[in-house]
Amino acid sequence: MADCRNQTAITEFFLLGFGDLPDLQILLFLMFLVIYMATVAGNTLIVVLVVADQHLHSPMYFFLGNLSCVETCYTSAIVPQMLASLLTGDRTISVSGCIIQLYFFGSLVATECCLLTAMSYDRYLAICKPLHYLTLMNIRFSFQLAAVSWLNGFLGITIFVLFLSQLIFCGPNEIDYFYCDALPLIELSCSDTHQVILVDFILACVFTLPPFLLTLTSYMCIIATILRIPSTTGRQKAFSTCSSHLIVVTIFYGTLITVYMLPKRDTLRDLNKVLSLCYTVLTPLVNPLIYSLRNREVKEALRKAFSKCGFRKNVQRL
């Protein structure tokens, strides 16, 4: 932290991103463009299927539709800016634009944490309390869980951004990242950052740690219940109902925790960037593939949709 009494406040940051790879800028642009288009198309298709197909009008697929919507939005908060910088070479972003990007990205990631918890609770009721599932997880309650997830995600980051916006930035103004994240931004401030760091820690404990612990607890109960099923066929059938979600949860939390628990050393900076790409760019891409390839109902809905569009020959291969 520096004394900013005799310094001029800066108005923009430089997102260094992949600037150390000048010969690969066009290749990276094309790669991320294809990934982004596939991500938006895949997640939008999931949302359309959930809305249009009556067989997918259940709490599990309602949460899946919300998850796909969140992932489309939070990858859109980062990737277009990154694509523009790769194409034009302009890596500047205004201070206010950086905080806005952090606000939407952080809110949507926090929302995803809550939605994954709601989905794990849904699978817990389906496997551990099957006789009471329809009573406990009705449409009204699933709507309430989804609404609380969105509200929780945006409320926590709103409080943090209110404190962050009070900081003064007077140089240096280079962020060695491809998007605006909280810690690199705080490190560049020449104001007293103890309060905003404390707020960040408290909000993380209140808004993101409980969803993670609840998700972990739900799957511990689910796995324990599945292991008590006597027949192999019964165990396989029960596990198949939650395997897709378990894979998604493992990928999301695995990369997220690794990124923020990894020591902040110069030697690990490139590894940190790669891991950040995993949960910001690649996870939203693979999630639709995981659900569509491992879920019988989603594959059936895809067959029906393609059949209506006249792709009957190709449908048979799905």
Side-chain angles (χ1 to χ4, degrees):
M1 182 184 72
D3 184 3
C4 53
R5 284 175 294 181
N6 297 319
Q7 300 185 52
T8 303
I10 61 174
T11 59
E12 61 184 19
F13 295 114
F14 287 90
L15 294 172
L16 299 182
F18 303 99
D20 56 342
L21 302 170
D23 297 333
L24 299 177
Q25 298 296 292
I26 298 300
L27 179 62
L28 289 171
F29 169 79
L30 294 174
M31 182 180 72
F32 288 126
L33 178 62
V34 171
I35 290 174
Y36 178 63
M37 292 174 64
T39 299
V40 173
N43 283 288
T44 302
L45 179 61
I46 293 290
V47 173
V48 171
L49 289 175
V50 169
V51 173
D53 196 301
Q54 292 186 351
H55 295 92
L56 301 184
H57 290 179
S58 65
M60 182 175 75
Y61 296 110
F62 171 71
F63 291 132
L64 176 58
N66 275 267
L67 182 66
S68 293
C69 182
V70 165
E71 292 189 327
T72 300
C73 293
Y74 89 62
T75 195
S76 296
I78 290 178
V79 177
Q81 166 74 25
M82 183 170 63
L83 289 174
S85 67
L86 287 170
L87 185 62
T88 65
D90 182 8
R91 299 183 180 88
T92 61
I93 183 172
S94 66
V95 172
S96 59
C98 195
I99 293 175
I100 290 171
Q101 184 186 64
L102 169 64
Y103 171 72
F104 281 105
F105 174 71
S107 298
L108 292 163
V109 169
T111 301
E112 176 156 357
C113 290
C114 297
L115 282 172
L116 290 174
T117 303
M119 295 174 77
S120 65
Y121 181 62
D122 173 75
R123 293 300 84 202
Y124 163 77
L125 291 179
I127 293 173
C128 302
K129 308 285 184 182
L131 298 179
H132 305 285
Y133 176 74
L134 294 177
T135 303
L136 296 174
M137 187 57 72
N138 52 49
I139 296 298
R140 180 181 178 183
F141 185 55
S142 60
F143 268 94
Q144 290 172 343
L145 284 177
V148 168
S149 296
W150 285 89
L151 181 62
N152 180 79
F154 277 84
L155 177 61
I157 302 300
T158 299
I159 297 171
F160 172 71
V161 165
L162 288 175
F163 281 87
L164 184 68
S165 61
Q166 304 303 311
L167 299 181
I168 297 174
F169 301 93
C170 42
N173 65 342
E174 292 183 344
I175 301 176
D176 193 9
Y177 232 51
F178 56 90
Y179 67 94
C180 295
D181 202 8
L183 291 180
L185 201 56
I186 291 172
E187 290 173 356
L188 293 180
S189 175
C190 52
S191 306
D192 185 354
T193 59
H194 290 89
Q195 189 178 49
V196 72
I197 291 174
L198 178 61
V199 170
D200 186 30
F201 176 76
I202 293 173
L203 291 175
C205 291
V206 172
F207 287 95
T208 58
L209 185 59
F212 170 70
L213 293 177
L214 288 171
T215 301
L216 187 63
T217 302
S218 295
Y219 271 101
M220 289 174 63
C221 295
I222 288 170
I223 293 171
T225 300
I226 290 175
L227 292 176
R228 287 198 297 267
I229 297 175
S231 67
T232 303
T233 304
R235 287 195 297 269
Q236 291 176 345
K237 184 177 180 181
F239 186 73
S240 68
T241 64
C242 63
S243 58
S244 298
H245 183 248
L246 182 58
I247 293 171
V248 169
V249 168
T250 303
I251 294 173
F252 178 77
Y253 276 115
T255 54
L256 191 65
I257 291 172
T258 303
V259 165
Y260 289 103
M261 294 299 289
L262 203 65
K264 301 298 183 285
R265 299 174 184 170
D266 290 341
T267 54
L268 297 175
R269 188 169 296 169
D270 291 337
L271 177 60
N272 197 292
K273 286 183 183 180
V274 172
L275 292 173
S276 296
L277 279 174
C278 287
Y279 83 88
T280 57
V281 178
L282 297 181
T283 300
L285 171 67
V286 301
N287 283 358
L289 295 175
I290 292 171
Y291 280 108
S292 61
L293 293 176
R294 297 185 61 88
N295 191 289
R296 182 174 57 83
E297 287 83 2
V298 174
K299 287 195 288 186
E300 184 61 32
L302 277 171
R303 286 194 186 97
K304 292 179 181 178
F306 284 130
S307 295
K308 290 179 180 179
C309 294
F311 301 114
R312 296 183 184 276
K313 292 183 180 179
N314 293 329
V315 167
Q316 302 301 322
R317 299 175 184 176
L318 289 176

